[in-house]
Amino acid sequence: MQDPQVQKQLISRLRRIEGQVRGVQTMIDENRDCHEIMQQMAAIRSAVQSASQAMLEEFSENCLINLAGTDDLQERKLLLKDLIALIGKAP
């Protein structure tokens, strides 16, 4: 990751998600209402998706822009193939 600010923001998001997951674990231990638990699970899924998108944007900018100075078509194709595979795996 090139930008320290982006790295700081991503770490902050991941820590928030980690806290949400611990909160859901506590809710389950306390036998809380299923609706409340599912609501928190949906919030976690949304937060992970948002963090994944931010990471994907950073990956795209760093790799694709840094590759802009090269004429190696094969390298560009491999990078795009990798990027497409990552998008397919993201939530």
Side-chain angles (χ1 to χ4, degrees), residues 3-64:
D3 187 346
Q5 183 64 24
V6 171
Q7 183 178 8
K8 184 178 178 181
Q9 290 172 348
L10 186 59
I11 292 294
S12 177
R13 285 179 181 207
L14 293 173
R15 287 188 177 137
R16 198 172 319 121
I17 292 166
E18 182 181 21
Q20 287 176 298
V21 170
R22 280 195 309 271
V24 168
Q25 289 170 339
T26 300
M27 292 172 78
I28 292 170
D29 284 340
E30 295 173 351
N31 291 319
R32 300 271 296 271
D33 181 60
C34 291
H35 183 267
E36 291 178 56
I37 294 170
M38 288 306 299
Q39 194 169 21
Q40 289 303 310
M41 295 291 283
I44 291 168
R45 184 177 54 242
S46 177
V48 168
Q49 185 172 10
S50 178
S52 294
Q53 183 170 345
M55 184 63 205
L56 182 60
E57 288 173 13
E58 181 67 13
F59 174 86
S60 298
E61 287 180 19
N62 282 332
C63 293
L64 294 176

Side-chain angles (χ1 to χ4, degrees), residues 55-57 59-61 63-64 76-90:
M55 184 63 205
L56 182 60
E57 288 173 13
F59 174 86
S60 298
E61 287 180 19
C63 293
L64 294 176
R76 288 176 185 265
K77 285 182 179 181
L78 287 173
L79 180 60
L80 286 174
K81 185 177 181 179
D82 186 40
L83 183 58
I84 289 167
L86 288 172
I87 291 170
K89 293 179 183 178

